[in-house]
Amino acid sequence: GSDGLPPAVLLYCMPRGQQQELEKLYPALSALLQREEVLKATQGATPECDALAKHFAIHPKGMVCLRCLDIAASEDQGRDFFYITQTMWTQKGLSLRGLADKYLSSCLEKHRDVRLSRWDQWPLASTQARYAATDAYCSYQVLHAMAAAGHVKRLEDWKTAAEQRLSAFNHGTLCELRALPGVGRGTAGAILEQRPYCSLTQARQRLLAWIEARAEQREGSAAKRLAAGSHNVRMATSMP
């Protein structure tokens, strides 16, 4: 770390039925996750962030998806920010093992028998703990390698573009919203109905809930159109 000491990896596994343990950890964990200046290296953690917002009212900030950042850095040839984010939804991108090979020139061992083992058991086996700790440490190293390559500096540009998109969601007219990439008539109407929003994450959460509620009342082609709207919402509210 910055203090010259080697980084430490902390694993926290909560046994079933011991939610009180989470309550003890909650204040410190919540504060850390919501500190924007502290970058957190992830590998496709959007569902987890949505779940934290929905179930615990924790709105993570400073989350960096390594896969997305790699795609964005590869695509960033004067492209529009939201062209890049939409590209992320159509490209699979590299796994953490692939990123380790690309940025660290090292082979990350990912044994299938451990990956597919029982992660809900208590306590975790030593092989599982080593697997999870290696993933965390590798993510940390890849993020630092990306920073050395200049990729992380682009986050400020993406942050500015996301703030502009959020402003459009909160203040744009129907026509202005429909002019945004990834926003159709139905999505634009939902944006108007559900605003204001404090973040794109909150916008995604509200709009997906809105779509889900209406999908339950529809059948056939109408339900399929709503499913397509869900995809558009995710693209329109995404960022690396």
Side-chain angles (χ1 to χ4, degrees):
S2 58
D3 55 5
L5 297 175
V9 176
L10 173 65
L11 296 179
Y12 192 88
C13 182
M14 184 182 69
R16 287 188 176 183
Q18 295 191 23
Q19 286 80 2
Q20 67 273 17
E21 293 297 319
L22 179 61
E23 294 175 2
K24 295 177 184 177
L25 182 67
Y26 182 91
L29 179 61
S30 175
L32 178 62
L33 289 173
Q34 295 183 100
R35 286 181 60 186
E36 190 168 9
E37 72 276 13
V38 179
L39 299 183
K40 297 92 176 173
T42 73
Q43 184 68 342
T46 298
E48 289 81 359
C49 290
D50 287 345
L52 285 170
K54 180 178 181 180
H55 299 295
F56 299 101
I58 296 176
H59 299 278
K61 297 178 181 178
M63 309 296 286
V64 181
C65 174
L66 300 176
R67 177 189 69 84
C68 295
L69 185 57
D70 177 62
I71 292 174
S74 302
E75 288 285 335
D76 189 11
Q77 300 294 332
R79 295 284 193 177
D80 174 77
F81 167 81
F82 286 98
Y83 168 87
I84 295 172
T85 58
Q86 289 172 38
T87 301
M88 293 174 193
W89 281 91
T90 58
Q91 291 190 16
K92 184 177 181 180
L94 293 174
S95 64
L96 184 57
R97 185 174 185 175
L99 292 171
D101 179 59
K102 179 176 180 177
Y103 290 96
L104 306 177
S105 299
S106 63
C107 180
L108 178 64
E109 292 187 357
K110 305 281 283 186
H111 296 295
R112 188 172 184 271
D113 58 335
V114 180
R115 177 166 56 87
L116 299 180
S117 60
R118 290 288 302 275
W119 287 90
D120 59 343
Q121 68 180 0
W122 177 259
L124 292 178
S126 60
T127 52
Q128 292 175 307
R130 187 180 303 111
Y131 184 105
T134 301
D135 266 16
Y137 182 68
C138 182
S139 298
Y140 168 85
Q141 293 284 59
V142 168
L143 181 60
H144 275 265
M146 287 181 159
H151 298 344
V152 176
K153 292 180 180 178
R154 291 289 289 134
L155 289 174
E156 285 301 315
D157 296 331
W158 292 323
K159 178 183 175 183
T160 298
E163 289 172 349
Q164 293 172 348
R165 172 59 64 99
L166 179 61
S167 177
F169 273 33
N170 281 324
H171 307 292
T173 64
L174 179 64
C175 290
E176 290 170 339
L177 289 171
R178 290 193 65 189
L180 296 175
V183 177
R185 182 179 181 85
T187 303
I191 291 171
L192 289 173
E193 181 179 325
Q194 298 296 312
R195 70 187 189 187
Y197 313 101
C198 66
S199 66
L200 287 180
T201 299
Q202 185 190 62
R204 177 171 61 250
Q205 181 183 352
R206 286 188 186 175
L207 294 170
L208 290 178
W210 182 89
I211 289 174
E212 182 180 352
R214 278 151 185 76
E216 292 176 354
Q217 304 169 4
R218 303 290 195 278
E219 294 180 353
S221 59
K224 292 181 179 179
R225 286 195 298 271
L226 284 168
S230 175
H231 177 72
N232 291 340
V233 164
R234 293 183 185 279
M235 287 200 304
T237 57
S238 294
M239 66 177 298

